[in-house]
Structure formats: C-alpha cells, structure tokens
Amino acid sequence: MTKSENVLSGEAEKKIIEAATIVFVEKGRTGASMQDIADEAGINRTLLNYYFRSKDKLFTTVFDKVIMSLLLEAIEVLNSDKDILVKFDSFIDVYINGLLKNPHIPVFILNELTGRPDHMIRLFKSSGLRISNFHKEIQEAMDEGRIIHMETSQLIINFISMIIFPFAAKPIVSGMILSEQEVEFDEFMKDRIPSLKKYFLKSITP
Amino acid sequence: MTKSENVLSGEAEKKIIEAATIVFVEKGRTGASMQDIADEAGINRTLLNYYFRSKDKLFTTVFDKVIMSLLLEAIEVLNSDKDILVKFDSFIDVYINGLLKNPHIPVFILNELTGRPDHMIRLFKSSGLRISNFHKEIQEAMDEGRIIHMETSQLIINFISMIIFPFAAKPIVSGMILSEQEVEFDEFMKDRIPSLKKYFLKSITP
DNA sequence: GTCTATATTAGGATAGAC
DNA sequence: GTCTATCCTAATATAGAC
C-alpha cells in the first residue's frame, strides 16, 4: 500500500464531493472554479477531471445530492401518520433547524434552479414525493372544518415561503431588519420556530 | 451629424444599462459575459469598456439601479399617510404586480446579495427607507389591539416572505405545486393578490 | 465614439510520465 | 491514482486606427 493509494475505493470521490458541495453552495455554479474545489479538497486540480469527467458532471452530482437530501426530509414528514396540523409543526422544526446548519442552501438552489427546471422536475418525480397527498390532507382538514377554506396551493406556498425565505434573504434580514435591534440571525431564527408555529396555526384555524 | 453619433449624450450609456440589466438579471454576475451584454445591446463589445471601465463597474451600476427602484417603491408606500392595514394591502399590490413584469429579480438580488452585504446596507441607508417607522406603526396597531401581539420583526418577515418567495421559487411553484392542476404561474400570482390580502389580514387580526 | 487588432489571463480539459 | 506539462477556449481589457 503506497502513500498515494486511498484506503477505500471511493474515499477520494467522497472527499471531492464534500469539497465541491461547500464551494458550489457558496459561490454558485458559474462563480466556483475547479481550482477552488481542488484547493478546498486539498488535491490536484486535474484529479477532479479524473474522478468526474467535467465540471458540469461534478456540479450535477452535488446539486442532485443537495436537492435529494431536502426532499427526503420532506418525505419523511409527509409519510408519517401524524395529523396534518402536527406535520406543519414538524416541517417548521426540521427545515429551520436543518437550514440553520447550512444557511445558504436556499439561495444556492433557487439560483441554480432557474436554468434547469426540467432537471428539477425529473429529480422531484424520482424522489417519490407525492405533493398531491399533501394537497389532499389539507383539503380534508378543510372539509372537516378544522382549517379555513382557501386554495390549497396558496396555503402551501404561504407556509413554505415563511420557512425558506428568511434564509434566502439572510443578509437583508440581518442587515436591514434586525440590525437596529442588535439581534443575531441565528437567535432570530431560533425564536422563529415557536413564533411561526403559533402564527401559522392561527392563520389557518377557523 | 455622422451616423456614428448618438443623438443625446448618454443615450448609448442608457441602452447599455438596459441591456446589461436584462442579461445580468437573467444570468447573474458570473454567468453573464460582456459579449452577452454587447449582443443584447446590439453594439461592439469594446464599447462596454469605453462607457464603463470594467464588468464590475457595469454590474454595480445595474445592481444599484435595480435595488433602488425596489426600495423607492417601498418608500412610497411607507411614506403615505394610509393606515398600516391599508399599507399592507398596497405592498401586496405593488410588489406582486411589479414582479410579475420582472419575475427573476428576486433570485438575482438574493443571489448577488450574499457576497456584498456591506454594499447592500450602504445602499439601504442611502435610500432613506426608515424600517423603524414600519416597526413603530405595527407596534402601535398592536398596542391599540387592532393587530395581535407578536414580535414585529417576525411579522414583517412573514409578510415579505409570502410576497417575494413565490417569485424566487417560480420553477418549484410551477413545476411541483401547480403542474398537476395545470395552472399557469402568472394566473396563480394574480389570484394570489386577493388571497394573500385576506389570509394575511386574518392572520394578524385578533 | 466606434471599430479592429491584440494582449493577457483564467479556466476547463486531456496526454503522458510515474 | 496522482502528478506535470500542455492545449484550447473564452473572457476581460487595452491600444490604436479611423
């Protein structure tokens, strides 16, 4: 076993993907260079081409991985047998706490999404997430009178918006809205978990 | 007056800024090339360097202009003497209708913001927008019992999120949430105006 | 002010030695 | 698998003719 061998096959590949994720998420597809990624991984630049044929292929690998991990979290909550109102709370917990650990993922995704809507839809379908079930559960709760009547799509967008947007707009939130009160972003988002649960529940309860 | 003269000084400059805005907003700072912008403007590429010294300077010009136009719209609503509840409705009208004409402005801003939070804050301060007045008006309405009590920052973020996020996530909204119902994005956002007004009012009313 | 020509660099990708 | 050397292209930027 020479010094240049990796202990496990795929270890270098894994290291590259980790480094590429950090760099792509921070700088975006066009803003990141292969050199940036090689530096982050601490390897020679040409090795990136050895393991992944091109920058595009490496990017797609990273992008798919990031999207999938988010979708899987959604599926886990949706597929549970909890009541729809409990699921709302779970989404708030899971995504706010998760994004606090990777706050620029929303901007990364929103930005790279624009150019490849088709690819996104394919990923989405292959994930097995059934958004129609979500619509249906909400609709049932409306029919039972537990939630006010409104277009389910509008309700879903309202809900997702309030979870994701603060992360996407983190510089605005920090610099423009919180700065005068000297509140830290992370603290604000921690407070936001119970605040949003309460607010959203009130907003949809008859 | 030869064929190569512009009628008004600054006309070429204006044409360049318009073209640059289109290209930068669509492709982002790193994704757009000077050639793209020259093509869009129908001029020679080197002219861009003649009028603006560098790509960076051209970008900053565009970025500042876009941000400022958005801030000015906010100021106009905020500075009116309408009741705070009416101002909420005005924001929804102004921004949803405005962004329907330029739907990828949110992604553009959110993306380019990350790298330059300081610059953003300077712009924000120089615009004269006083967010503290907004906080104050909301707080007063709370004290009068017209709005439920909650952290004003959280309320403001909730509000802004529901207006802006659907545009930032347009491919997701179109492809994942609306596709099964065969609803067009623009139609959805038009419906959203009254929907959001009603929803938000209910959410903050005691 | 507008063009052509050119300088310069950065970035992506491959070939080939080890 | 990993490195060095090299190729190629695209992109920014400037000089200089008109």
Side-chain angles (χ1 to χ4, degrees), chain A residues 103 106-107 164-175 185, chain B residues 110 113 157 160:
Chain A
V107 169
I164 310 286
F165 184 79
F167 289 100
K170 180 173 173 177
I172 299 178
V173 174
S174 294
F185 180 80
Chain B
L110 294 176
L113 217 59
I157 302 285
I160 298 177

Side-chain angles (χ1 to χ4, degrees), chain B residues 36-60:
Chain B
D36 291 336
I37 295 167
D39 291 347
E40 176 70 32
I43 60 170
N44 191 286
R45 189 170 58 79
T46 58
L47 275 183
L48 299 179
N49 289 88
Y50 175 78
Y51 282 97
F52 300 84
R53 242 166 42 83
S54 65
K55 182 185 181 182
D56 237 46
K57 196 171 168 308
L58 178 54
F59 176 80
T60 301

Side-chain angles (χ1 to χ4, degrees), chain A residues 158-177:
Chain A
N158 289 346
F159 182 63
I160 297 177
S161 298
M162 291 189 284
I163 295 175
I164 310 286
F165 184 79
F167 289 100
K170 180 173 173 177
I172 299 178
V173 174
S174 294
M176 293 168 55
I177 299 174

Side-chain angles (χ1 to χ4, degrees), chain A residues 37-95:
Chain A
I37 295 167
D39 290 347
E40 176 71 33
I43 60 170
N44 191 286
R45 189 171 60 80
T46 57
L47 274 183
L48 298 179
N49 288 89
Y50 176 77
Y51 282 96
F52 301 83
R53 247 168 36 86
S54 66
K55 181 185 183 183
D56 237 45
K57 196 169 168 308
L58 177 55
F59 176 79
T60 302
T61 304
V62 167
F63 185 72
D64 290 2
K65 194 200 69 171
V66 171
I67 294 277
M68 271 303 167
S69 72
L70 289 176
L71 290 178
L72 289 179
E73 288 184 296
I75 289 173
E76 193 164 348
V77 173
L78 275 184
N79 283 358
S80 73
D81 55 358
K82 293 174 185 162
D83 182 76
I84 181 69
L85 292 177
V86 178
K87 286 182 182 177
F88 283 131
D89 278 7
S90 296
F91 271 121
I92 293 171
D93 280 323
V94 167
Y95 279 101

Side-chain angles (χ1 to χ4, degrees), chain A residues 24-154:
Chain A
F24 276 134
V25 166
E26 190 189 325
K27 301 193 174 185
R29 187 176 55 84
T30 55
S33 74
M34 294 292 262
Q35 188 63 60
D36 291 336
I37 295 167
D39 290 347
E40 176 71 33
I43 60 170
N44 191 286
R45 189 171 60 80
T46 57
L47 274 183
L48 298 179
N49 288 89
Y50 176 77
Y51 282 96
F52 301 83
R53 247 168 36 86
S54 66
K55 181 185 183 183
D56 237 45
K57 196 169 168 308
L58 177 55
F59 176 79
T60 302
T61 304
V62 167
F63 185 72
D64 290 2
K65 194 200 69 171
V66 171
I67 294 277
M68 271 303 167
S69 72
L70 289 176
L71 290 178
L72 289 179
E73 288 184 296
I75 289 173
E76 193 164 348
V77 173
L78 275 184
N79 283 358
S80 73
D81 55 358
K82 293 174 185 162
D83 182 76
I84 181 69
L85 292 177
V86 178
K87 286 182 182 177
F88 283 131
D89 278 7
S90 296
F91 271 121
I92 293 171
D93 280 323
V94 167
Y95 279 101
I96 291 186
N97 282 316
L99 291 175
L100 273 170
K101 287 169 196 138
N102 292 293
H104 24 321
I105 282 192
V107 169
F108 169 68
I109 293 175
L110 294 176
N111 189 44
E112 307 298 347
L113 217 60
T114 320
R116 4 188 129 202
D118 306 341
H119 181 234
M120 174 67 190
I121 292 178
R122 273 206 313 282
L123 268 184
F124 176 61
K125 294 207 190 278
S126 75
S127 76
L129 178 61
R130 299 303 299 146
I131 200 90
S132 58
N133 289 346
F134 199 35
H135 283 283
K136 200 197 292 175
E137 285 187 56
I138 293 169
Q139 189 61 55
E140 285 170 2
M142 286 179 183
D143 295 342
E144 294 164 8
R146 301 164 56 218
I147 292 180
I148 60 164
H149 233 83
M150 66 183 294
E151 179 62 50
T152 56
S153 298
Q154 300 284 357

